């Protein structure tokens, strides 16, 4: 089945998931939708996120006939994925959530910090996930206000300042008793600035994100439904609600594979 796989996020953060998807599924065609004109999702209410998610998915289906959807946004997953699945039962939908399970499994000190948007951390879905590990680990939340906006705007000064601030709030960091030895990157934007975050971390600190596990799950879902591309060259279409030149620049910068992407098409989903 050669229809494309849809991938969407409130902005460019989902490019970190897209990179993992393209590595895992090199023969697939992808349509990436960045809803930048209506971002950020993580500092909005559930109703707003649900409305935007519905409109983006409807457009991806109508314009591209997508065979599967990856919700490459923690906030949209927590707020809207259950409704999207109910409204589109024939469309396989893969979402994501902060990677607490592998973090708890690998932490030696039992102390974990979750860096995420305020919307994700305030959601019932995240609360249930966190509570499922009660007694297994000490999990602290670090809401990273402003970091998504800085990443979207290529604001290197703000990125540096905010990464330093939030890594300090995630601590004390280290592998001694009572210290945080594992940080979960609970927003798809944050892996894009992992190098900057690492500047404020001891060498042994582990960062965990969801890109590779989501890509592996997408492969399993497509294979189980007989929708996995069996060969040929993959492809990428970039689409969004904001300035297409900005999205193209972001893809060139964060994916570092500009030759693989088609020209972005602006829309008003």
């Amino acid at each position: 089945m050669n229809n494309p796989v849809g991938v969407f996020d409130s902005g460019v953060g989902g490019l970190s998931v897209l990179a993992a998807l393209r590595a895992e599924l090199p023969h697939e065609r992808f349509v990436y939708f960045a809803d930048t004109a209506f971002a950020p999702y993580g500092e909005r209410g559930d109703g707003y996120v649900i409305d935007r998610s519905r409109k983006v998915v409807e457009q991806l289906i109508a314009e591209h006939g997508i065979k599967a959807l990856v919700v490459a946004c923690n906030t949209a997953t927590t707020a809207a994925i259950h409704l999207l699945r109910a409204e589109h039962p024939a469309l396989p939908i893969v979402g994501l959530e902060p990677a607490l399970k592998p973090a708890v499994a690998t932490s030696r000190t039992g102390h974990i910090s979750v860096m995420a948007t305020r919307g994700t951390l305030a959601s019932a879905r995240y609360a249930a996930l966190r509570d499922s590990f009660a007694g297994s680990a000490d999990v602290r939340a670090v809401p990273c206000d402003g970091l998504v906006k800085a990443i979207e705007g290529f604001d290197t000064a703000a990125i540096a300042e905010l990464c330093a601030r939030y890594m300090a709030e995630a601590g004390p960091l280290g592998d001694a008793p009572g210290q945080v030895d594992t940080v979960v990157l609970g927003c798809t934007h944050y892996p894009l600035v992992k190098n900057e975050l690492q500047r404020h971390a001891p060498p042994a600190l582990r960062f965990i994100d969801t890109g590779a596990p989501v890509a592996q799950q997408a492969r399993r879902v497509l294979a189980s439904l007989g929708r996995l591309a069996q060969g040929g060259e993959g492809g990428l279409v970039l689409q969004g609600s904001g300035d297409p030149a900005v999205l193209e620049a972001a893809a060139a910068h964060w994916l570092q594979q500009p030759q693989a992407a088609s020209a972005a098409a602006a829309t008003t989903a």
Side-chain angles (χ1 to χ4, degrees), residues 74-106:
N74 285 275
T75 303
T77 298
T78 57
I81 197 168
H82 60 295
L83 295 173
L84 297 176
R85 284 173 171 155
E87 292 164 5
H88 304 282
L91 181 70
I93 301 177
V94 177
L96 51 91
E97 62 187 13
L100 270 180
K101 184 175 180 178
V104 171
T106 59

PDB file of all heavy atoms in Angstrom, residues 74-106:
ATOM      1  N   ASN A  74       3.173  15.172  22.242  1.00  0.00           N
ATOM      2  CA  ASN A  74       2.704  14.650  23.526  1.00  0.00           C
ATOM      3  C   ASN A  74       1.388  15.292  23.939  1.00  0.00           C
ATOM      4  O   ASN A  74       0.480  14.622  24.423  1.00  0.00           O
ATOM      5  CB  ASN A  74       3.765  14.901  24.605  1.00  0.00           C
ATOM      6  CG  ASN A  74       4.945  13.973  24.506  1.00  0.00           C
ATOM      7  OD1 ASN A  74       4.933  12.865  25.019  1.00  0.00           O
ATOM      8  ND2 ASN A  74       5.988  14.424  23.828  1.00  0.00           N
ATOM      9  N   THR A  75       1.262  16.606  23.751  1.00  0.00           N
ATOM     10  CA  THR A  75       0.057  17.302  24.187  1.00  0.00           C
ATOM     11  C   THR A  75      -1.158  16.847  23.391  1.00  0.00           C
ATOM     12  O   THR A  75      -2.231  16.594  23.955  1.00  0.00           O
ATOM     13  CB  THR A  75       0.244  18.822  24.044  1.00  0.00           C
ATOM     14  OG1 THR A  75       1.400  19.232  24.793  1.00  0.00           O
ATOM     15  CG2 THR A  75      -0.968  19.565  24.554  1.00  0.00           C
ATOM     16  N   ALA A  76      -1.018  16.723  22.068  1.00  0.00           N
ATOM     17  CA  ALA A  76      -2.138  16.262  21.247  1.00  0.00           C
ATOM     18  C   ALA A  76      -2.499  14.818  21.567  1.00  0.00           C
ATOM     19  O   ALA A  76      -3.677  14.447  21.534  1.00  0.00           O
ATOM     20  CB  ALA A  76      -1.798  16.413  19.766  1.00  0.00           C
ATOM     21  N   THR A  77      -1.492  14.002  21.867  1.00  0.00           N
ATOM     22  CA  THR A  77      -1.780  12.618  22.249  1.00  0.00           C
ATOM     23  C   THR A  77      -2.618  12.573  23.516  1.00  0.00           C
ATOM     24  O   THR A  77      -3.646  11.887  23.579  1.00  0.00           O
ATOM     25  CB  THR A  77      -0.482  11.828  22.450  1.00  0.00           C
ATOM     26  OG1 THR A  77       0.247  11.776  21.218  1.00  0.00           O
ATOM     27  CG2 THR A  77      -0.777  10.398  22.899  1.00  0.00           C
ATOM     28  N   THR A  78      -2.193  13.316  24.527  1.00  0.00           N
ATOM     29  CA  THR A  78      -2.895  13.262  25.805  1.00  0.00           C
ATOM     30  C   THR A  78      -4.306  13.838  25.703  1.00  0.00           C
ATOM     31  O   THR A  78      -5.236  13.333  26.332  1.00  0.00           O
ATOM     32  CB  THR A  78      -2.117  14.008  26.905  1.00  0.00           C
ATOM     33  OG1 THR A  78      -1.900  15.370  26.497  1.00  0.00           O
ATOM     34  CG2 THR A  78      -0.779  13.358  27.175  1.00  0.00           C
ATOM     35  N   ALA A  79      -4.476  14.874  24.895  1.00  0.00           N
ATOM     36  CA  ALA A  79      -5.777  15.550  24.841  1.00  0.00           C
ATOM     37  C   ALA A  79      -6.741  14.925  23.842  1.00  0.00           C
ATOM     38  O   ALA A  79      -7.960  14.918  24.076  1.00  0.00           O
ATOM     39  CB  ALA A  79      -5.577  17.026  24.487  1.00  0.00           C
ATOM     40  N   ALA A  80      -6.223  14.408  22.722  1.00  0.00           N
ATOM     41  CA  ALA A  80      -7.118  14.141  21.601  1.00  0.00           C
ATOM     42  C   ALA A  80      -7.076  12.752  21.008  1.00  0.00           C
ATOM     43  O   ALA A  80      -7.979  12.391  20.237  1.00  0.00           O
ATOM     44  CB  ALA A  80      -6.830  15.161  20.484  1.00  0.00           C
ATOM     45  N   ILE A  81      -6.083  11.932  21.308  1.00  0.00           N
ATOM     46  CA  ILE A  81      -5.935  10.696  20.530  1.00  0.00           C
ATOM     47  C   ILE A  81      -7.126   9.755  20.703  1.00  0.00           C
ATOM     48  O   ILE A  81      -7.529   9.069  19.749  1.00  0.00           O
ATOM     49  CB  ILE A  81      -4.602   9.982  20.856  1.00  0.00           C
ATOM     50  CG1 ILE A  81      -4.291   8.955  19.756  1.00  0.00           C
ATOM     51  CG2 ILE A  81      -4.624   9.348  22.244  1.00  0.00           C
ATOM     52  CD1 ILE A  81      -2.884   8.403  19.820  1.00  0.00           C
ATOM     53  N   HIS A  82      -7.732   9.723  21.888  1.00  0.00           N
ATOM     54  CA  HIS A  82      -8.872   8.824  22.093  1.00  0.00           C
ATOM     55  C   HIS A  82     -10.049   9.239  21.212  1.00  0.00           C
ATOM     56  O   HIS A  82     -10.783   8.388  20.701  1.00  0.00           O
ATOM     57  CB  HIS A  82      -9.272   8.802  23.576  1.00  0.00           C
ATOM     58  CG  HIS A  82      -9.685  10.135  24.130  1.00  0.00           C
ATOM     59  ND1 HIS A  82      -8.804  11.195  24.241  1.00  0.00           N
ATOM     60  CD2 HIS A  82     -10.891  10.583  24.590  1.00  0.00           C
ATOM     61  CE1 HIS A  82      -9.450  12.238  24.760  1.00  0.00           C
ATOM     62  NE2 HIS A  82     -10.701  11.892  24.968  1.00  0.00           N
ATOM     63  N   LEU A  83     -10.236  10.541  21.016  1.00  0.00           N
ATOM     64  CA  LEU A  83     -11.312  11.021  20.150  1.00  0.00           C
ATOM     65  C   LEU A  83     -10.988  10.773  18.680  1.00  0.00           C
ATOM     66  O   LEU A  83     -11.874  10.393  17.904  1.00  0.00           O
ATOM     67  CB  LEU A  83     -11.533  12.514  20.389  1.00  0.00           C
ATOM     68  CG  LEU A  83     -12.031  12.888  21.789  1.00  0.00           C
ATOM     69  CD1 LEU A  83     -12.060  14.397  21.958  1.00  0.00           C
ATOM     70  CD2 LEU A  83     -13.416  12.296  22.040  1.00  0.00           C
ATOM     71  N   LEU A  84      -9.751  10.978  18.294  1.00  0.00           N
ATOM     72  CA  LEU A  84      -9.356  10.732  16.901  1.00  0.00           C
ATOM     73  C   LEU A  84      -9.560   9.261  16.538  1.00  0.00           C
ATOM     74  O   LEU A  84     -10.035   8.947  15.439  1.00  0.00           O
ATOM     75  CB  LEU A  84      -7.896  11.133  16.688  1.00  0.00           C
ATOM     76  CG  LEU A  84      -7.558  12.609  16.891  1.00  0.00           C
ATOM     77  CD1 LEU A  84      -6.058  12.834  16.734  1.00  0.00           C
ATOM     78  CD2 LEU A  84      -8.339  13.489  15.920  1.00  0.00           C
ATOM     79  N   ARG A  85      -9.217   8.371  17.455  1.00  0.00           N
ATOM     80  CA  ARG A  85      -9.406   6.941  17.183  1.00  0.00           C
ATOM     81  C   ARG A  85     -10.882   6.589  17.082  1.00  0.00           C
ATOM     82  O   ARG A  85     -11.278   5.770  16.241  1.00  0.00           O
ATOM     83  CB  ARG A  85      -8.725   6.119  18.286  1.00  0.00           C
ATOM     84  CG  ARG A  85      -7.203   6.078  18.152  1.00  0.00           C
ATOM     85  CD  ARG A  85      -6.542   5.405  19.320  1.00  0.00           C
ATOM     86  NE  ARG A  85      -5.114   5.184  19.074  1.00  0.00           N
ATOM     87  CZ  ARG A  85      -4.206   5.059  20.022  1.00  0.00           C
ATOM     88  NH1 ARG A  85      -4.570   5.124  21.307  1.00  0.00           N
ATOM     89  NH2 ARG A  85      -2.933   4.854  19.716  1.00  0.00           N
ATOM     90  N   ALA A  86     -11.701   7.196  17.917  1.00  0.00           N
ATOM     91  CA  ALA A  86     -13.148   6.920  17.862  1.00  0.00           C
ATOM     92  C   ALA A  86     -13.766   7.461  16.578  1.00  0.00           C
ATOM     93  O   ALA A  86     -14.673   6.841  16.005  1.00  0.00           O
ATOM     94  CB  ALA A  86     -13.833   7.534  19.081  1.00  0.00           C
ATOM     95  N   GLU A  87     -13.292   8.608  16.103  1.00  0.00           N
ATOM     96  CA  GLU A  87     -13.869   9.251  14.930  1.00  0.00           C
ATOM     97  C   GLU A  87     -13.337   8.681  13.617  1.00  0.00           C
ATOM     98  O   GLU A  87     -13.968   8.845  12.572  1.00  0.00           O
ATOM     99  CB  GLU A  87     -13.596  10.753  14.998  1.00  0.00           C
ATOM    100  CG  GLU A  87     -14.353  11.437  16.133  1.00  0.00           C
ATOM    101  CD  GLU A  87     -13.827  12.832  16.464  1.00  0.00           C
ATOM    102  OE1 GLU A  87     -12.915  13.315  15.736  1.00  0.00           O
ATOM    103  OE2 GLU A  87     -14.304  13.424  17.448  1.00  0.00           O
ATOM    104  N   HIS A  88     -12.178   8.016  13.653  1.00  0.00           N
ATOM    105  CA  HIS A  88     -11.568   7.448  12.442  1.00  0.00           C
ATOM    106  C   HIS A  88     -11.158   5.998  12.717  1.00  0.00           C
ATOM    107  O   HIS A  88      -9.968   5.668  12.748  1.00  0.00           O
ATOM    108  CB  HIS A  88     -10.353   8.281  12.019  1.00  0.00           C
ATOM    109  CG  HIS A  88     -10.649   9.732  11.794  1.00  0.00           C
ATOM    110  ND1 HIS A  88     -11.258  10.193  10.652  1.00  0.00           N
ATOM    111  CD2 HIS A  88     -10.448  10.813  12.591  1.00  0.00           C
ATOM    112  CE1 HIS A  88     -11.399  11.509  10.732  1.00  0.00           C
ATOM    113  NE2 HIS A  88     -10.921  11.910  11.904  1.00  0.00           N
ATOM    114  N   PRO A  89     -12.132   5.113  12.936  1.00  0.00           N
ATOM    115  CA  PRO A  89     -11.813   3.745  13.353  1.00  0.00           C
ATOM    116  C   PRO A  89     -11.029   2.942  12.314  1.00  0.00           C
ATOM    117  O   PRO A  89     -10.347   1.976  12.676  1.00  0.00           O
ATOM    118  CB  PRO A  89     -13.197   3.121  13.605  1.00  0.00           C
ATOM    119  CG  PRO A  89     -14.152   3.959  12.803  1.00  0.00           C
ATOM    120  CD  PRO A  89     -13.594   5.349  12.849  1.00  0.00           C
ATOM    121  N   ALA A  90     -11.086   3.314  11.054  1.00  0.00           N
ATOM    122  CA  ALA A  90     -10.350   2.578  10.020  1.00  0.00           C
ATOM    123  C   ALA A  90      -8.911   3.060   9.872  1.00  0.00           C
ATOM    124  O   ALA A  90      -8.122   2.453   9.141  1.00  0.00           O
ATOM    125  CB  ALA A  90     -11.066   2.701   8.677  1.00  0.00           C
ATOM    126  N   LEU A  91      -8.572   4.143  10.550  1.00  0.00           N
ATOM    127  CA  LEU A  91      -7.234   4.718  10.430  1.00  0.00           C
ATOM    128  C   LEU A  91      -6.379   4.313  11.627  1.00  0.00           C
ATOM    129  O   LEU A  91      -6.684   4.698  12.764  1.00  0.00           O
ATOM    130  CB  LEU A  91      -7.323   6.248  10.369  1.00  0.00           C
ATOM    131  CG  LEU A  91      -6.006   7.013  10.220  1.00  0.00           C
ATOM    132  CD1 LEU A  91      -5.415   6.794   8.825  1.00  0.00           C
ATOM    133  CD2 LEU A  91      -6.220   8.501  10.482  1.00  0.00           C
ATOM    134  N   PRO A  92      -5.320   3.547  11.416  1.00  0.00           N
ATOM    135  CA  PRO A  92      -4.438   3.234  12.546  1.00  0.00           C
ATOM    136  C   PRO A  92      -3.704   4.487  13.014  1.00  0.00           C
ATOM    137  O   PRO A  92      -3.146   5.226  12.188  1.00  0.00           O
ATOM    138  CB  PRO A  92      -3.468   2.195  11.977  1.00  0.00           C
ATOM    139  CG  PRO A  92      -3.532   2.356  10.500  1.00  0.00           C
ATOM    140  CD  PRO A  92      -4.893   2.879  10.177  1.00  0.00           C
ATOM    141  N   ILE A  93      -3.752   4.733  14.315  1.00  0.00           N
ATOM    142  CA  ILE A  93      -3.165   5.951  14.877  1.00  0.00           C
ATOM    143  C   ILE A  93      -2.182   5.570  15.979  1.00  0.00           C
ATOM    144  O   ILE A  93      -2.537   4.860  16.921  1.00  0.00           O
ATOM    145  CB  ILE A  93      -4.253   6.882  15.444  1.00  0.00           C
ATOM    146  CG1 ILE A  93      -5.255   7.266  14.340  1.00  0.00           C
ATOM    147  CG2 ILE A  93      -3.626   8.136  16.040  1.00  0.00           C
ATOM    148  CD1 ILE A  93      -6.408   8.131  14.831  1.00  0.00           C
ATOM    149  N   VAL A  94      -0.963   6.052  15.847  1.00  0.00           N
ATOM    150  CA  VAL A  94       0.079   5.823  16.845  1.00  0.00           C
ATOM    151  C   VAL A  94       0.349   7.137  17.551  1.00  0.00           C
ATOM    152  O   VAL A  94       0.605   8.160  16.901  1.00  0.00           O
ATOM    153  CB  VAL A  94       1.370   5.300  16.182  1.00  0.00           C
ATOM    154  CG1 VAL A  94       2.485   5.141  17.227  1.00  0.00           C
ATOM    155  CG2 VAL A  94       1.115   3.975  15.471  1.00  0.00           C
ATOM    156  N   GLY A  95       0.273   7.124  18.864  1.00  0.00           N
ATOM    157  CA  GLY A  95       0.558   8.322  19.630  1.00  0.00           C
ATOM    158  C   GLY A  95       1.811   8.144  20.456  1.00  0.00           C
ATOM    159  O   GLY A  95       2.549   7.162  20.311  1.00  0.00           O
ATOM    160  N   LEU A  96       2.063   9.094  21.311  1.00  0.00           N
ATOM    161  CA  LEU A  96       3.240   8.968  22.167  1.00  0.00           C
ATOM    162  C   LEU A  96       2.945   9.568  23.531  1.00  0.00           C
ATOM    163  O   LEU A  96       2.000  10.327  23.713  1.00  0.00           O
ATOM    164  CB  LEU A  96       4.464   9.615  21.522  1.00  0.00           C
ATOM    165  CG  LEU A  96       4.338  11.051  21.002  1.00  0.00           C
ATOM    166  CD1 LEU A  96       4.726  12.049  22.085  1.00  0.00           C
ATOM    167  CD2 LEU A  96       5.237  11.241  19.803  1.00  0.00           C
ATOM    168  N   GLU A  97       3.768   9.193  24.470  1.00  0.00           N
ATOM    169  CA  GLU A  97       3.658   9.693  25.822  1.00  0.00           C
ATOM    170  C   GLU A  97       5.053   9.737  26.414  1.00  0.00           C
ATOM    171  O   GLU A  97       5.962   9.068  25.911  1.00  0.00           O
ATOM    172  CB  GLU A  97       2.743   8.796  26.669  1.00  0.00           C
ATOM    173  CG  GLU A  97       3.251   7.377  26.826  1.00  0.00           C
ATOM    174  CD  GLU A  97       2.255   6.459  27.520  1.00  0.00           C
ATOM    175  OE1 GLU A  97       1.087   6.846  27.667  1.00  0.00           O
ATOM    176  OE2 GLU A  97       2.664   5.357  27.913  1.00  0.00           O
ATOM    177  N   PRO A  98       5.264  10.540  27.464  1.00  0.00           N
ATOM    178  CA  PRO A  98       6.597  10.579  28.065  1.00  0.00           C
ATOM    179  C   PRO A  98       7.094   9.181  28.427  1.00  0.00           C
ATOM    180  O   PRO A  98       6.342   8.363  28.949  1.00  0.00           O
ATOM    181  CB  PRO A  98       6.380  11.435  29.317  1.00  0.00           C
ATOM    182  CG  PRO A  98       5.245  12.334  28.951  1.00  0.00           C
ATOM    183  CD  PRO A  98       4.331  11.474  28.110  1.00  0.00           C
ATOM    184  N   ALA A  99       8.364   8.915  28.128  1.00  0.00           N
ATOM    185  CA  ALA A  99       8.922   7.562  28.216  1.00  0.00           C
ATOM    186  C   ALA A  99       9.286   7.186  29.653  1.00  0.00           C
ATOM    187  O   ALA A  99      10.438   6.861  29.965  1.00  0.00           O
ATOM    188  CB  ALA A  99      10.140   7.451  27.301  1.00  0.00           C
ATOM    189  N   LEU A 100       8.270   7.181  30.520  1.00  0.00           N
ATOM    190  CA  LEU A 100       8.520   6.850  31.925  1.00  0.00           C
ATOM    191  C   LEU A 100       8.886   5.377  32.124  1.00  0.00           C
ATOM    192  O   LEU A 100       9.726   5.046  32.964  1.00  0.00           O
ATOM    193  CB  LEU A 100       7.299   7.190  32.773  1.00  0.00           C
ATOM    194  CG  LEU A 100       7.251   8.605  33.350  1.00  0.00           C
ATOM    195  CD1 LEU A 100       5.987   8.799  34.159  1.00  0.00           C
ATOM    196  CD2 LEU A 100       8.471   8.878  34.207  1.00  0.00           C
ATOM    197  N   LYS A 101       8.246   4.495  31.363  1.00  0.00           N
ATOM    198  CA  LYS A 101       8.506   3.069  31.560  1.00  0.00           C
ATOM    199  C   LYS A 101       9.974   2.715  31.345  1.00  0.00           C
ATOM    200  O   LYS A 101      10.601   2.107  32.236  1.00  0.00           O
ATOM    201  CB  LYS A 101       7.617   2.239  30.640  1.00  0.00           C
ATOM    202  CG  LYS A 101       7.758   0.733  30.861  1.00  0.00           C
ATOM    203  CD  LYS A 101       6.768  -0.038  30.000  1.00  0.00           C
ATOM    204  CE  LYS A 101       6.907  -1.545  30.232  1.00  0.00           C
ATOM    205  NZ  LYS A 101       5.913  -2.313  29.432  1.00  0.00           N
ATOM    206  N   PRO A 102      10.593   3.073  30.217  1.00  0.00           N
ATOM    207  CA  PRO A 102      12.018   2.764  30.071  1.00  0.00           C
ATOM    208  C   PRO A 102      12.894   3.544  31.045  1.00  0.00           C
ATOM    209  O   PRO A 102      13.959   3.061  31.449  1.00  0.00           O
ATOM    210  CB  PRO A 102      12.325   3.133  28.617  1.00  0.00           C
ATOM    211  CG  PRO A 102      11.238   4.057  28.207  1.00  0.00           C
ATOM    212  CD  PRO A 102      10.025   3.629  28.977  1.00  0.00           C
ATOM    213  N   ALA A 103      12.451   4.737  31.432  1.00  0.00           N
ATOM    214  CA  ALA A 103      13.236   5.511  32.400  1.00  0.00           C
ATOM    215  C   ALA A 103      13.285   4.812  33.748  1.00  0.00           C
ATOM    216  O   ALA A 103      14.354   4.685  34.368  1.00  0.00           O
ATOM    217  CB  ALA A 103      12.646   6.910  32.549  1.00  0.00           C
ATOM    218  N   VAL A 104      12.139   4.342  34.212  1.00  0.00           N
ATOM    219  CA  VAL A 104      12.096   3.621  35.493  1.00  0.00           C
ATOM    220  C   VAL A 104      12.913   2.330  35.411  1.00  0.00           C
ATOM    221  O   VAL A 104      13.621   1.957  36.349  1.00  0.00           O
ATOM    222  CB  VAL A 104      10.638   3.329  35.892  1.00  0.00           C
ATOM    223  CG1 VAL A 104      10.578   2.394  37.095  1.00  0.00           C
ATOM    224  CG2 VAL A 104       9.898   4.631  36.197  1.00  0.00           C
ATOM    225  N   ALA A 105      12.842   1.668  34.260  1.00  0.00           N
ATOM    226  CA  ALA A 105      13.558   0.397  34.094  1.00  0.00           C
ATOM    227  C   ALA A 105      15.062   0.582  34.112  1.00  0.00           C
ATOM    228  O   ALA A 105      15.796  -0.323  34.551  1.00  0.00           O
ATOM    229  CB  ALA A 105      13.132  -0.267  32.790  1.00  0.00           C
ATOM    230  N   THR A 106      15.560   1.726  33.649  1.00  0.00           N
ATOM    231  CA  THR A 106      17.008   1.909  33.537  1.00  0.00           C
ATOM    232  C   THR A 106      17.620   2.738  34.656  1.00  0.00           C
ATOM    233  O   THR A 106      18.841   2.711  34.840  1.00  0.00           O
ATOM    234  CB  THR A 106      17.371   2.565  32.193  1.00  0.00           C
ATOM    235  OG1 THR A 106      16.711   3.837  32.084  1.00  0.00           O
ATOM    236  CG2 THR A 106      16.949   1.690  31.026  1.00  0.00           C
TER     237      THR A 106
END
